[in-house]
Coordinates of all heavy atoms in Angstrom, one line a residue:
Chain B
L968 N -5.3 -6.5 10.5 CA -6.5 -5.9 10.9 C -7.6 -7.0 11.0 O -7.6 -7.9 10.3 CB -7.0 -4.8 9.9 CG -6.4 -3.4 10.1 CD1 -4.9 -3.4 10.1 CD2 -6.9 -2.5 8.9
S969 N -8.5 -6.8 11.9 CA -9.7 -7.7 12.0 C -10.6 -7.4 10.8 O -10.5 -6.3 10.2 CB -10.4 -7.5 13.3 OG -11.2 -6.3 13.2
P970 N -11.5 -8.3 10.5 CA -12.4 -8.1 9.3 C -13.1 -6.8 9.4 O -13.2 -6.0 8.4 CB -13.3 -9.3 9.3 CG -12.6 -10.3 10.0 CD -11.7 -9.7 11.0
T971 N -13.7 -6.4 10.5 CA -14.4 -5.2 10.6 C -13.5 -4.0 10.4 O -13.8 -3.0 9.7 CB -15.2 -5.0 11.9 OG1 -14.3 -5.2 13.0 CG2 -16.3 -6.0 12.0
E972 N -12.3 -4.1 11.0 CA -11.3 -3.0 10.9 C -10.9 -2.8 9.5 O -10.8 -1.7 8.9 CB -10.1 -3.3 11.8 CG -10.3 -3.1 13.3 CD -9.1 -3.5 14.1 OE1 -8.3 -4.3 13.6 OE2 -9.0 -3.1 15.2
Y973 N -10.7 -4.0 8.8 CA -10.3 -4.0 7.4 C -11.3 -3.2 6.6 O -11.0 -2.4 5.7 CB -10.1 -5.4 6.9 CG -9.6 -5.5 5.5 CD1 -8.2 -5.5 5.3 CD2 -10.4 -5.6 4.5 CE1 -7.7 -5.6 4.0 CE2 -10.0 -5.7 3.2 CZ -8.6 -5.7 3.0 OH -8.1 -5.8 1.7
F974 N -12.6 -3.5 6.9 CA -13.7 -2.9 6.1 C -13.6 -1.3 6.3 O -13.7 -0.6 5.3 CB -15.0 -3.4 6.5 CG -16.1 -3.0 5.7 CD1 -16.4 -3.8 4.5 CD2 -16.9 -1.9 6.0 CE1 -17.5 -3.4 3.7 CE2 -18.0 -1.6 5.1 CZ -18.2 -2.3 4.0
F975 N -13.5 -0.9 7.5 CA -13.5 0.5 7.8 C -12.3 1.2 7.2 O -12.3 2.3 6.6 CB -13.5 0.8 9.3 CG -14.7 0.4 10.0 CD1 -14.7 -0.3 11.1 CD2 -16.0 0.8 9.4 CE1 -15.9 -0.7 11.8 CE2 -17.2 0.4 10.1 CZ -17.1 -0.3 11.2
H976 N -11.1 0.5 7.2 CA -9.9 1.0 6.7 C -10.1 1.2 5.2 O -9.6 2.2 4.6 CB -8.8 0.0 7.0 CG -7.4 0.6 6.5 ND1 -6.7 0.0 5.5 CD2 -6.7 1.6 7.0 CE1 -5.6 0.7 5.3 NE2 -5.6 1.7 6.2
S977 N -10.7 0.3 4.5 CA -11.0 0.4 3.1 C -11.9 1.6 2.8 O -11.7 2.3 1.8 CB -11.7 -0.9 2.5 OG -10.9 -2.0 2.8
M978 N -12.8 1.8 3.6 CA -13.7 3.0 3.4 C -12.9 4.3 3.4 O -13.1 5.1 2.6 CB -14.8 3.0 4.5 CG -15.9 2.0 4.3 SD -17.1 2.0 5.6 CE -18.1 3.4 5.1
G979 N -12.1 4.4 4.5 CA -11.2 5.6 4.5 C -10.3 5.7 3.4 O -10.1 6.8 2.8
G980 N -9.7 4.6 3.0 CA -8.8 4.6 1.8 C -9.5 4.9 0.5 O -8.9 5.7 -0.3
R981 N -10.7 4.5 0.3 CA -11.4 4.8 -0.9 C -11.7 6.3 -1.0 O -11.5 6.9 -2.1 CB -12.8 4.1 -0.9 CG -13.7 4.5 -2.0 CD -13.3 4.1 -3.4 NE -13.1 2.7 -3.6 CZ -14.0 1.8 -3.6 NH1 -15.3 2.0 -3.5 NH2 -13.8 0.5 -3.9
E982 N -12.0 6.9 0.1 CA -12.2 8.4 0.1 C -11.0 9.1 -0.5 O -11.1 10.0 -1.3 CB -12.6 8.9 1.4 CG -13.1 10.4 1.3 CD -13.2 11.1 2.6 OE1 -12.3 10.9 3.5 OE2 -14.2 11.8 2.8
G983 N -9.8 8.6 0.0 CA -8.6 9.3 -0.4 C -8.4 9.2 -1.9 O -8.1 10.1 -2.6
L984 N -8.7 7.9 -2.4 CA -8.5 7.7 -3.9 C -9.5 8.6 -4.7 O -9.0 9.2 -5.7 CB -8.8 6.3 -4.2 CG -7.8 5.2 -3.8 CD1 -8.2 3.8 -4.2 CD2 -6.4 5.6 -4.4
V985 N -10.7 8.7 -4.3 CA -11.7 9.5 -5.0 C -11.3 10.9 -5.0 O -11.3 11.6 -6.0 CB -13.1 9.3 -4.4 CG1 -14.1 10.3 -5.0 CG2 -13.6 7.9 -4.6
D986 N -10.8 11.4 -3.8 CA -10.4 12.8 -3.7 C -9.3 13.1 -4.7 O -9.4 14.1 -5.3 CB -9.9 13.0 -2.2 CG -11.0 13.4 -1.3 OD1 -12.2 13.4 -1.8 OD2 -10.8 13.8 -0.2
T987 N -8.3 12.3 -4.7 CA -7.2 12.6 -5.6 C -7.7 12.6 -7.1 O -7.3 13.5 -7.8 CB -6.0 11.6 -5.5 OG1 -6.6 10.3 -5.3 CG2 -5.0 12.0 -4.5
A988 N -8.5 11.7 -7.4 CA -9.0 11.6 -8.8 C -9.8 12.9 -9.2 O -9.6 13.5 -10.2 CB -9.9 10.4 -9.0
V989 N -10.6 13.3 -8.3 CA -11.5 14.5 -8.5 C -10.6 15.7 -8.5 O -10.7 16.6 -9.4 CB -12.5 14.6 -7.4 CG1 -13.3 16.0 -7.5 CG2 -13.5 13.5 -7.5
R990 N -9.6 15.8 -7.6 CA -8.8 17.0 -7.5 C -8.0 17.2 -8.7 O -7.9 18.3 -9.2 CB -7.9 16.9 -6.3 CG -8.2 17.9 -5.2 CD -7.0 18.1 -4.3 NE -6.2 17.0 -4.1 CZ -6.4 16.1 -3.0 NH1 -7.3 16.4 -2.1 NH2 -5.6 15.1 -2.8
T991 N -7.4 16.1 -9.3 CA -6.5 16.3 -10.4 C -7.3 16.9 -11.6 O -6.8 17.8 -12.3 CB -5.8 15.0 -10.8 OG1 -6.7 14.0 -10.8 CG2 -4.6 14.7 -10.0
S992 N -8.4 16.3 -11.9 CA -9.2 16.7 -13.1 C -9.6 18.2 -12.9 O -9.6 19.0 -13.8 CB -10.3 15.8 -13.3 OG -11.3 15.9 -12.3
R993 N -10.1 18.5 -11.7 CA -10.6 19.8 -11.5 C -9.5 20.9 -11.5 O -9.7 21.9 -12.1 CB -11.4 19.9 -10.2 CG -12.5 20.9 -10.3 CD -13.3 21.2 -9.1 NE -13.2 20.1 -8.1 CZ -14.2 19.8 -7.3 NH1 -15.3 20.5 -7.3 NH2 -14.1 18.9 -6.3
S994 N -8.4 20.6 -10.8 CA -7.4 21.6 -10.8 C -6.7 21.7 -12.2 O -6.3 22.7 -12.6 CB -6.3 21.2 -9.8 OG -5.7 20.0 -10.1
G995 N -6.8 20.6 -13.0 CA -6.2 20.6 -14.3 C -7.0 21.6 -15.2 O -6.4 22.4 -15.9
Y996 N -8.3 21.5 -15.1 CA -9.1 22.4 -15.9 C -9.0 23.9 -15.4 O -8.9 24.8 -16.2 CB -10.6 22.0 -15.8 CG -11.5 22.8 -16.7 CD1 -11.2 23.1 -18.0 CD2 -12.7 23.3 -16.2 CE1 -12.0 23.9 -18.8 CE2 -13.5 24.1 -17.0 CZ -13.2 24.4 -18.3 OH -14.0 25.2 -19.0
M997 N -8.9 24.0 -14.1 CA -8.7 25.4 -13.6 C -7.4 26.0 -14.1 O -7.3 27.1 -14.5 CB -8.6 25.3 -12.1 CG -9.9 25.8 -11.4 SD -9.5 26.0 -9.6 CE -10.5 24.7 -8.9
Q998 N -6.4 25.1 -14.1 CA -5.1 25.6 -14.6 C -5.1 26.0 -16.1 O -4.6 27.0 -16.5 CB -4.0 24.6 -14.3 CG -2.6 25.1 -14.6 CD -1.5 24.2 -14.3 OE1 -1.7 23.0 -14.2 NE2 -0.3 24.7 -14.1
R999 N -5.8 25.2 -16.8 CA -5.9 25.4 -18.3 C -6.5 26.8 -18.5 O -6.1 27.6 -19.3 CB -6.8 24.4 -18.9 CG -6.8 24.4 -20.5 CD -7.7 23.4 -21.1 NE -8.3 24.0 -22.2 CZ -7.7 24.3 -23.4 NH1 -6.4 24.1 -23.5 NH2 -8.4 24.9 -24.3
R1000 N -7.6 27.1 -17.8 CA -8.3 28.4 -17.9 C -7.3 29.6 -17.5 O -7.2 30.6 -18.2 CB -9.5 28.5 -17.1 CG -10.6 27.6 -17.7 CD -11.9 27.8 -16.9 NE -11.7 27.3 -15.6 CZ -12.7 27.0 -14.7 NH1 -13.9 27.1 -15.1 NH2 -12.4 26.6 -13.5
L1001 N -6.6 29.3 -16.4 CA -5.7 30.3 -16.0 C -4.6 30.6 -17.0 O -4.2 31.8 -17.3 CB -5.1 29.9 -14.6 CG -4.6 30.9 -13.7 CD1 -5.7 31.8 -13.3 CD2 -4.1 30.2 -12.4
I1002 N -4.0 29.5 -17.5 CA -2.9 29.7 -18.5 C -3.4 30.4 -19.7 O -2.8 31.4 -20.2 CB -2.4 28.3 -18.9 CG1 -1.6 27.7 -17.8 CG2 -1.5 28.4 -20.1 CD1 -1.2 26.3 -18.0
N1003 N -4.6 30.1 -20.2 CA -5.2 30.8 -21.4 C -5.4 32.3 -21.1 O -5.2 33.1 -22.0 CB -6.5 30.1 -21.8 CG -6.2 28.8 -22.6 OD1 -5.1 28.6 -23.1 ND2 -7.2 27.9 -22.6
A1004 N -5.8 32.6 -19.9 CA -6.0 34.0 -19.5 C -4.7 34.8 -19.4 O -4.7 35.9 -19.7 CB -6.8 34.1 -18.2
L1005 N -3.7 34.1 -19.0 CA -2.4 34.9 -18.7 C -1.3 34.7 -19.7 O -0.2 35.2 -19.5 CB -1.9 34.4 -17.3 CG -2.8 34.7 -16.1 CD1 -2.2 34.2 -14.8 CD2 -3.1 36.2 -16.0
E1006 N -1.6 33.9 -20.8 CA -0.4 33.5 -21.6 C 0.3 34.7 -22.2 O 1.5 34.6 -22.5 CB -0.9 32.5 -22.7 CG -1.9 33.0 -23.7 CD -2.3 32.0 -24.7 OE1 -1.7 30.9 -24.7 OE2 -3.2 32.2 -25.5
D1007 N -0.4 35.8 -22.5 CA 0.3 36.9 -23.2 C 0.8 37.9 -22.2 O 1.3 39.0 -22.6 CB -0.6 37.5 -24.2 CG -1.8 38.2 -23.6 OD1 -2.1 37.9 -22.5 OD2 -2.4 39.0 -24.3
V1008 N 0.8 37.7 -20.9 CA 1.2 38.7 -20.0 C 2.7 38.5 -19.7 O 3.2 37.4 -19.5 CB 0.5 38.5 -18.6 CG1 1.0 39.5 -17.6 CG2 -1.0 38.7 -18.8
K1009 N 3.5 39.6 -19.8 CA 4.9 39.5 -19.6 C 5.5 40.7 -18.9 O 4.9 41.8 -18.9 CB 5.7 39.1 -20.8 CG 5.7 40.2 -21.9 CD 6.7 39.9 -23.0 CE 6.8 41.0 -24.0 NZ 7.6 40.6 -25.1
V1010 N 6.6 40.5 -18.3 CA 7.3 41.7 -17.7 C 8.2 42.3 -18.7 O 9.0 41.7 -19.3 CB 8.2 41.2 -16.5 CG1 8.8 42.4 -15.7 CG2 7.3 40.4 -15.5
E1011 N 8.0 43.6 -18.9 CA 8.8 44.4 -19.9 C 10.1 44.8 -19.2 O 10.3 44.7 -18.0 CB 8.0 45.6 -20.4 CG 6.7 45.2 -21.0 CD 6.9 44.5 -22.4 OE1 8.0 44.6 -23.0 OE2 5.9 43.9 -22.9
N1012 N 11.0 45.4 -20.1 CA 12.3 45.9 -19.6 C 12.2 46.9 -18.5 O 13.1 47.1 -17.7 CB 13.1 46.4 -20.8 CG 13.7 45.2 -21.6 OD1 13.8 44.2 -21.0 ND2 13.9 45.5 -22.8
D1013 N 11.1 47.8 -18.6 CA 11.0 48.8 -17.5 C 10.3 48.3 -16.3 O 9.8 49.0 -15.5 CB 10.3 50.0 -18.1 CG 8.9 49.7 -18.6 OD1 8.5 48.5 -18.6 OD2 8.2 50.6 -19.1
S1014 N 10.2 46.9 -16.2 CA 9.6 46.2 -15.1 C 8.1 46.4 -14.9 O 7.5 46.0 -13.9 CB 10.3 46.5 -13.7 OG 9.7 47.6 -13.1
T1015 N 7.5 47.0 -16.0 CA 6.0 47.0 -15.9 C 5.5 45.6 -16.4 O 6.2 44.9 -17.2 CB 5.4 48.0 -16.9 OG1 6.0 47.9 -18.2 CG2 5.7 49.4 -16.3
V1016 N 4.3 45.2 -16.0 CA 3.7 44.0 -16.5 C 2.6 44.4 -17.5 O 1.7 45.2 -17.1 CB 3.1 43.2 -15.3 CG1 2.5 41.9 -15.8 CG2 4.1 42.9 -14.3
R1017 N 2.8 44.0 -18.7 CA 1.8 44.3 -19.8 C 1.3 43.1 -20.5 O 2.1 42.1 -20.6 CB 2.4 45.3 -20.8 CG 3.1 46.5 -20.2 CD 3.6 47.4 -21.2 NE 4.4 48.5 -20.6 CZ 4.7 49.6 -21.2 NH1 4.3 49.9 -22.4 NH2 5.5 50.5 -20.6
H1018 N 0.2 43.2 -21.1 CA -0.2 42.1 -22.0 C 0.0 42.5 -23.4 O 0.5 43.6 -23.7 CB -1.7 41.6 -21.7 CG -2.7 42.5 -22.1 ND1 -4.0 42.5 -21.5 CD2 -2.8 43.5 -23.0 CE1 -4.7 43.4 -22.1 NE2 -4.0 44.0 -23.0
A1019 N -0.4 41.5 -24.3 CA 0.0 41.7 -25.8 C -0.6 43.0 -26.3 O -0.1 43.6 -27.3 CB -0.4 40.5 -26.6
G1020 N -1.8 43.4 -25.8 CA -2.4 44.6 -26.3 C -1.8 45.9 -25.8 O -2.2 47.0 -26.1
G1021 N -0.8 45.8 -25.0 CA 0.0 46.9 -24.5 C -0.6 47.5 -23.2 O -0.1 48.5 -22.7

Side-chain angles (χ1 to χ4, degrees):
Chain B
L968 273 55
S969 77
T971 53
E972 286 174 338
Y973 184 84
F974 190 86
F975 293 132
H976 185 249
S977 303
M978 287 175 78
R981 170 69 60 69
E982 191 192 40
L984 288 179
V985 171
D986 272 8
T987 35
V989 172
R990 245 202 326 267
T991 43
S992 66
R993 213 187 334 212
S994 66
Y996 183 47
M997 256 191 248
Q998 188 175 21
R999 191 182 139 69
R1000 287 182 299 196
L1001 207 57
I1002 288 170
N1003 283 336
L1005 298 178
E1006 63 181 354
D1007 66 340
V1008 177
K1009 69 172 182 184
V1010 184
E1011 300 289 343
N1012 283 334
D1013 59 358
S1014 90
T1015 54
V1016 182
R1017 306 185 190 197
H1018 72 202

